[in-house]
Amino acid sequence: MTTLTQRLTLLHERMQTACTASNRKLDGVQLIGVSKFQPAESVADAHELGLTDFGENYLQEAAEKIRCLESKHLTWHFIGSIQSNKTKVIAESFDWVHTVDRIKIARRLSSQCPQGKVLNILLQVNIDHDANKGGASPEECIDLVKQMSNLPNLRLRGLMVILSQETDPRVGYETVAQLHAELKSALNPEFAAAWDTLSMGMTGDLEHAIAAGATMIRVGTALFGPRE
Ligand SMILES: *Cc1c(COP(=O)(O)O)cnc(C)c1O
């Protein structure tokens, strides 16, 4: 049986090789352990090995783990699709929300964010116009970014993407990186300073994402093994 330690070692090697190949520093790529369908004990084990950031897709499942692991002060990322009646729980429980794709959702997160808390958000872009998943179309992004950056209690940090199976990751991730740069230059300087995050790349394609400039990769299988 492969252990978590072995899988993490292999994963770090993949990340290091990818960084070296594109002349990047390993510490410029934040690893997010995607812990959906994994028990809280596995998250605790990964934390023992040095991981601090975890991603969850399903609120009920996440809420339990977050409560259970509260004393460890982990950083939690919401990476699932957002129903508007769930924004309050998301704003209360998570540090980052990667899947914001409508102004209505951003406004609700902003108004329901607990006092004194700053919620980091990413705009999810649907770069390949895939009707089966969320994300704003690339054409919508500029208006959304301008509106979202002005909302109180939120800090708009950049873009997130999930590529379609059919999209060549070498092309898809480069396209998102280019859009990320264009949007940054359209922002006011005060907001452009916080626009520093590109969340892209998973178990199957993280090398391509790192080559294109990902600053966060979201990895489940390569870290925790196959999901039930
Ligand atoms: C499940 C999931 C991942 C992790 O996928 P793996 O292929 O297991 O690494 C990353 N991002 C999102 C949005 C996911 O839902």
Side-chain angles (χ1 to χ4, degrees):
M1 216 189 89
T2 320
T3 65
L4 184 64
T5 311
Q6 289 167 325
R7 282 189 298 258
L8 183 59
T9 304
L10 284 174
L11 178 56
H12 277 148
E13 281 169 19
R14 284 179 66 185
M15 292 171 67
Q16 181 61 69
T17 303
C19 284
T20 305
S22 48
N23 223 349
R24 298 188 56 194
K25 290 216 174 79
L26 188 61
D27 68 7
V29 183
Q30 170 77 54
L31 172 61
I32 303 187
V34 174
S35 46
K36 62 180 171 222
F37 306 143
Q38 305 296 343
E41 299 84 73
S42 299
V43 176
D45 291 346
H47 179 238
E48 288 293 310
L49 298 174
L51 260 76
T52 53
D53 287 60
F54 296 91
E56 287 281 342
N57 299 58
Y58 306 103
L59 270 183
Q60 231 179 348
E61 182 195 345
E64 255 178 67
K65 279 180 235 180
I66 293 173
R67 205 178 322 113
C68 186
L69 298 164
E70 208 172 0
S71 63
K72 301 192 185 293
H73 303 289
L74 306 175
T75 302
W76 291 99
H77 301 249
F78 188 72
I79 61 170
S81 61
I82 305 175
Q83 288 170 280
S84 62
N85 62 341
K86 299 290 163 54
T87 46
K88 186 163 187 283
V89 188
I90 294 173
E92 286 168 353
S93 315
F94 287 84
D95 304 290
W96 286 75
V97 186
H98 289 224
T99 40
V100 183
D101 61 0
R102 319 195 276 294
I103 188 65
K104 177 188 171 190
I105 295 293
R107 287 203 181 104
R108 289 178 65 95
L109 289 169
S110 171
S111 66
Q112 294 170 333
C113 190
Q115 233 191 352
K117 176 173 179 174
V118 176
L119 188 62
N120 295 292
I121 64 164
L122 299 175
L123 171 59
Q124 183 181 353
V125 59
N126 191 340
I127 201 75
D128 29 34
H129 299 91
D130 178 354
N132 297 315
K133 64 170 188 235
S137 73
E139 298 74 31
E140 290 176 297
C141 284
I142 182 75
D143 284 340
L144 283 173
V145 158
K146 285 184 173 163
Q147 294 176 63
M148 287 179 184
S149 56
N150 273 312
L151 292 171
N153 309 319
L154 302 185
R155 190 171 289 139
L156 180 63
R157 302 291 295 268
L159 294 177
M160 179 271 205
V161 70
I162 305 169
L163 289 188
S164 299
Q165 296 282 330
E166 294 77 43
T167 301
D168 181 341
R170 284 164 295 194
V171 179
Y173 289 143
E174 283 295 344
T175 309
V176 179
Q178 210 175 331
L179 178 63
H180 185 271
E182 284 166 20
L183 292 168
K184 185 181 175 97
S185 62
L187 281 171
N188 293 333
E190 60 172 314
F191 299 125
W195 184 261
D196 57 5
T197 303
L198 201 40
S199 165
M200 57 188 195
M202 326 201 300
T203 291
D205 59 14
L206 64 93
E207 284 83 0
H208 298 305
I210 290 174
T215 66
M216 280 183 181
I217 58 172
R218 310 177 307 266
V219 181
T221 312
L223 182 64
F224 293 111
R227 288 181 283 274
E228 297 287 300

